[in-house]
Amino acid sequence: MLEIKFLRENPEVVKAGLRKRNYDENALQVVDKAIKVDADRRQSQTSLDKLLAESNQAAKKIGALYQAGDREEADKLKAIVSAAKGEIKNLEAHLDNTEKQLEDILLSIPNIPNADVPFGKGEDDNEVFQAWDKPLPELPESAVPHWDLATKYNIIDFGLGAKIAGSGFVLFRGKGAKLERALINFFLDEAEKAGYEEIIPPLLVNEASARGTGQLPDKDGQMYYAEKDDLYLIPTAEVPITNIYRDVILQEEDFPIKLTGHTPCFRREAGAHGSEVRGLNRVHQFDKVEIVRIEHPSKSYEVLAEMLDHVRGLLDKLGLPYRILRLCGGDTGFTAAITYDFEVYSAAQKRWLEVSSVSNFETYQSNRLKLRYRDSEGKRHLAHTLNGSALALARIVAAVLENNQTEDGILIPKVLVPFTGFAVIN
RNA sequence: GGAGAGUUGUCCGAGUGGCUUAAGGAGCACGCUUGGAAAGCGUGUGUACGCCAAAAGUGUACCAAGGGUUCGAAUCCCUUACUCUCCGCCA
């Protein structure tokens, strides 16, 4: 969430950011509301602190009086302090209430988009940041989408996924499973080469972690929730990995922090149907390798560019046609300051599929996480957090299967062959 | 799942209602001392939110978390989390 101090001092900057997210004048009032509640909060605290200071002093005096044997005077003072307790209780309740109200308001305000983020309402307004400038693959008439290839070669079974778990769950088998595992290992090895430390985190997280990275409260309902244990299945490795640094004060020399991890990702994604979501296009559980960076604010945009390069490299090596979108204000996620989406061309479906989303959250997550660093003068500042998919597996599999299909089978990209142990699925 | 013992600052560790402003030690930083270092000595050493134009300063809260008792709680009571030991179960 945004820092109240920033909001108080720069209300117009915040409003300009919210306009980019298509807030109308009426909705913008949330900013003034926050400032008003904050003023109330500070005033309440000042009064409460004063009362508490007085009562602390009185308590001390009572102790001294008892020790001096002056019970009468002590009892008199006791009566006075007791009488003031009601007012303290009231003020405490009021302060508590204002603090909660302020937090609710702040949680409802999304991150301020970076200046580079284009205006726009939805996905149609996203800017093509880097187009695919070579010809798109041409497949023969006989080419089929990946769900048909999956059945033809018996490598992915959607029916069994549905039988065992439900619609939206898939089962990989044989060479399909091996391909999935090969991609995971390839992505992890590439991340390791780029200097990322590999993490295997818990796949279930507590509420504090889900709040820390911003899945709660705004994305409640998109996560699977284990009620008996009050735990959430992770929608992305970003959640457990970034939360390593919840409530942490780093030293400047701890930067750069580069972490990666493969996890299954669980998403409820209610309400989608049709060909858009067929096959692997949208599933409840998919594998993903994530890269996470914790950075000094002065470095975060440099690092963002570096992350884009890393993802480009992966797709180049796999030989998949891709383009990069810069998301517009209306499509940029709640917690991100800027997001670049990578889309891969899936030639049989003739569709672009999102396979990576790389974002700089600036201080929005770190403020929730209380993730800070100490500068050379010993002052504390919020760090910047960034993350990106490198990459999301299911859709990559779809594109690899479709784009590389031939009469004689599906050709495995060269870089993957050492990981799969076979060069063709037939 | 059952029984018991714990959780104090950067770390170790004392602390059973007011002489605690959290003892003592270690670490760290700075200074003195030294040819230089070690030892020794001295000083300082957290987080959050207020007040103040700001710095200086100052107030409040924080002894796992949240509630409660009391004029006053690290200390007493309740709930929860986590750690350890033993038993049970288990890949």
Side-chain angles (χ1 to χ4, degrees):
Chain A
M1 59 188 167
L2 298 177
E3 288 178 279
I4 181 60
K5 201 170 154 220
F6 179 83
L7 199 142
R8 191 196 303 149
E9 286 163 9
N10 308 278
E12 288 313 314
V13 175
V14 174
K15 282 185 185 176
L18 294 181
R19 278 194 192 97
K20 214 175 216 181
R21 287 185 183 269
N22 308 304
Y23 273 52
D24 62 24
E25 288 311 306
N26 194 34
L28 282 177
Q29 285 176 10
V30 71
V31 175
D32 305 308
K33 182 83 201 284
I35 290 169
K36 215 176 114 194
V37 173
D38 176 53
D40 186 6
R41 174 197 132 243
R42 286 187 294 153
Q43 205 198 336
S44 304
Q45 188 178 335
T46 305
S47 330
L48 176 63
D49 283 358
K50 210 177 130 213
L51 279 182
L52 285 173
E54 283 166 8
S55 104
N56 284 347
Q57 292 231 342
K60 235 173 245 174
K61 221 181 263 177
I62 291 167
L65 286 171
Y66 270 127
Q67 246 144 51
D70 192 349
R71 290 199 70 109
E72 207 175 303
E73 195 58 32
D75 286 341
K76 235 186 259 175
L77 199 49
K78 228 158 120 175
I80 295 170
V81 178
S82 288
K85 274 191 106 181
E87 201 183 345
I88 290 178
K89 274 245 158 80
N90 282 342
L91 259 175
E92 262 171 356
H94 182 70
L95 179 62
D96 199 51
N97 187 29
T98 352
E99 275 170 351
K100 282 205 176 95
Q101 211 184 328
L102 180 61
E103 199 192 352
D104 284 346
I105 294 171
L106 288 176
L107 285 172
S108 77
I109 299 176
N111 203 351
I112 300 168
N114 176 282
D116 289 339
V117 172
F119 281 87
K121 290 234 150 50
E123 45 181 296
D124 296 338
D125 301 317
N126 293 335
E127 175 189 317
V128 178
F129 175 72
Q130 183 186 318
W132 180 250
D133 52 8
K134 283 166 247 170
L136 289 171
E138 292 277 344
L139 296 179
E141 282 295 309
S142 58
V144 292
H146 68 271
W147 48 87
D148 290 334
L149 294 167
T151 310
K152 181 175 172 188
Y153 296 110
N154 196 25
I155 49 176
I156 305 171
D157 197 318
F158 299 99
L160 279 180
K163 173 186 177 183
I164 297 165
S167 138
F169 290 91
V170 304
L171 181 143
F172 292 82
R173 68 192 312 167
K175 285 186 170 176
K178 200 87 188 280
L179 174 62
E180 181 86 358
R181 184 150 60 85
L183 281 161
I184 293 166
N185 285 333
F186 170 63
F187 293 147
L188 284 173
D189 284 4
E190 290 293 308
E192 191 189 343
K193 277 186 214 161
Y196 290 86
E197 180 193 1
E198 184 176 343
I199 303 289
I200 301 181
L203 304 182
L204 284 87
V205 296
N206 57 29
E207 190 189 323
S209 293
R211 292 185 85 85
T213 34
Q215 275 67 33
L216 290 178
D218 33 280
K219 284 186 192 157
D220 192 14
Q222 289 192 33
M223 284 186 291
Y224 286 97
Y225 175 56
E227 196 173 357
K228 273 193 178 165
D229 300 288
D230 198 16
L231 292 168
Y232 296 85
L233 271 76
I234 57 167
T236 158
E238 162 197 346
V239 180
I241 292 180
T242 312
N243 270 282
I244 293 171
Y245 290 95
R246 173 154 48 84
D247 287 317
V248 166
I249 302 180
L250 297 160
Q251 302 301 314
E252 257 181 333
E253 54 269 27
D254 293 334
F255 296 126
I257 290 171
K258 309 171 73 170
L259 303 171
T260 186
H262 153 251
T263 67
C265 301
F266 302 94
R267 305 214 176 154
R268 296 184 64 228
E269 313 267 14
H273 297 285
S275 75
E276 292 261 305
V277 302
R278 253 192 106 170
L280 294 173
N281 290 350
R282 184 178 286 182
V283 285
H284 288 310
Q285 177 192 326
F286 60 95
D287 289 295
K288 181 159 66 64
V289 172
E290 186 81 358
I291 51 177
V292 172
R293 307 284 300 251
I294 317 282
E295 278 298 336
H296 192 282
S298 69
K299 283 273 174 61
S300 70
Y301 277 92
E302 203 177 296
V303 163
L304 181 65
E306 197 186 292
M307 292 167 80
L308 293 181
D309 275 343
H310 181 77
V311 178
R312 277 190 192 100
L314 298 176
L315 292 169
D316 285 337
K317 283 175 188 167
L318 289 173
L320 294 170
Y322 64 93
R323 64 179 187 183
I324 306 174
L325 303 180
R326 180 144 66 189
L327 299 193
C328 72
D331 207 26
T332 299
F334 197 82
T335 54
I338 190 165
T339 297
Y340 292 90
D341 272 6
F342 281 72
E343 292 187 334
V344 152
Y345 191 70
S346 207
Q349 297 183 74
K350 296 192 168 64
R351 283 186 59 202
W352 293 96
L353 298 177
E354 182 194 331
V355 294
S356 175
S357 193
V358 183
S359 304
N360 188 349
F361 303 94
E362 297 188 0
T363 59
Y364 195 89
Q365 279 186 336
S366 59
N367 188 36
R368 284 195 188 183
L369 288 163
K370 297 203 183 69
L371 162 52
R372 293 147 294 170
Y373 69 94
R374 217 182 288 280
D375 68 18
S376 51
E377 287 173 2
K379 285 196 177 143
R380 290 160 309 284
H381 309 275
L382 293 171
H384 280 195
T385 62
L386 304 95
N387 65 54
S389 348
L391 289 159
L393 265 288
R395 291 174 183 165
I396 288 286
V397 170
V400 166
L401 296 180
E402 291 186 14
N403 296 13
N404 300 337
Q405 59 183 299
T406 69
E407 295 287 332
D408 305 319
I410 296 160
L411 306 178
I412 300 299
K414 265 208 189 85
V415 289
L416 289 181
V417 174
F419 295 92
T420 54
F422 53 84
V424 62
I425 296 174
N426 53 19

